[in-house]
């Protein structure tokens, strides 16, 4: 029960929330640095693709069945830090939009809080099962 796919997705999602918090904070901290390019964390789309089975698998391209497989499906994707494609560059070459970043920060905080509540509920149910249904 501790090695369930749901728990691994929750764990990775919490890690992504922490990474996203650091990335957004870094963007805000560098809002006045000339030529600084803001970054964003991409995860949810990758996870959705993996869960729906729409990610291409490289395992089909093995030339020999004795070769080690690669690109196995069913793994939880890792987050990717990319440049922000929607950023508008200012005169100094910096593309940080503080209002957008603060909005993303608040959104991430709500998302992270929700994940911690879901994780807490998971372990409360597990505790209840271990205790035989009692508190």
């Amino acid at each position: 029960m501790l090695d369930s796919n749901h728990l691994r997705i929750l764990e990775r999602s919490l890690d992504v929330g922490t990474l996203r918090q650091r990335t957004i904070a870094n963007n805000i901290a560098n809002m006045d640095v000339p030529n600084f390019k803001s970054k964003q964390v991409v995860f949810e789309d990758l996870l959705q693709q993996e869960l729906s089975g729409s990610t291409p698998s490289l395992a089909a391209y093995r030339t020999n069945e004795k070769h080690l497989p690669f690109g196995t499906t069913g793994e939880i994707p890792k987050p990717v830090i990319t440049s922000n494609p929607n950023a508008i560059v200012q005169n100094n070459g910096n593309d940080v939009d503080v209002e957008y970043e603060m909005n993303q920060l608040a959104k991430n905080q709500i998302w992270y809080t929700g994940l911690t509540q879901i994780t807490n509920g998971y372990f409360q149910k597990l505790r209840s099962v271990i205790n035989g249904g009692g508190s």
Side-chain angles (χ1 to χ4, degrees):
M1 212 170 163
L2 289 175
D3 192 32
S4 74
N5 199 38
H6 297 290
L7 188 57
R8 287 184 295 176
I9 290 172
L10 282 171
E11 178 183 15
R12 179 63 54 88
S13 298
L14 287 166
D15 290 343
V16 168
T18 302
L19 177 62
R20 186 171 283 136
Q21 183 83 7
R22 285 194 313 248
T23 303
I24 294 168
N26 185 54
N27 289 343
I28 294 170
N30 289 292
M31 68 183 191
D32 291 326
V33 175
N35 299 315
F36 178 81
K37 304 300 178 205
S38 63
K39 304 283 188 246
Q40 67 179 7
V41 177
V42 177
F43 174 70
E44 291 82 359
D45 292 339
L46 299 173
L47 180 62
Q48 185 62 38
Q49 288 173 2
E50 183 64 39
L51 293 176
S52 68
S54 63
T55 56
S57 173
L58 299 176
Y61 297 104
R62 286 188 353 195
T63 57
N64 187 317
E65 63 195 33
K66 294 181 182 179
H67 292 167
L68 292 175
F70 56 93
T72 58
T73 59
E75 294 181 9
I76 301 169
K78 293 183 179 174
V80 177
I81 298 176
T82 64
S83 293
N84 193 346
N86 301 324
I88 298 173
V89 179
Q90 301 168 16
N91 290 337
N92 66 355
N94 187 308
D95 69 355
V96 176
D97 179 356
V98 178
E99 289 181 22
Y100 173 79
E101 297 296 336
M102 294 302 285
N103 183 18
Q104 292 300 102
L105 195 63
K107 193 167 135 181
N108 186 59
Q109 183 62 43
I110 293 168
W111 186 68
Y112 192 85
T113 301
L115 286 171
T116 57
Q117 290 174 352
I118 291 170
T119 305
N120 187 31
Y122 179 87
F123 284 109
Q124 284 179 347
K125 288 177 190 174
L126 185 61
R127 185 180 309 122
S128 176
V129 168
I130 291 171
N131 292 333
S135 304

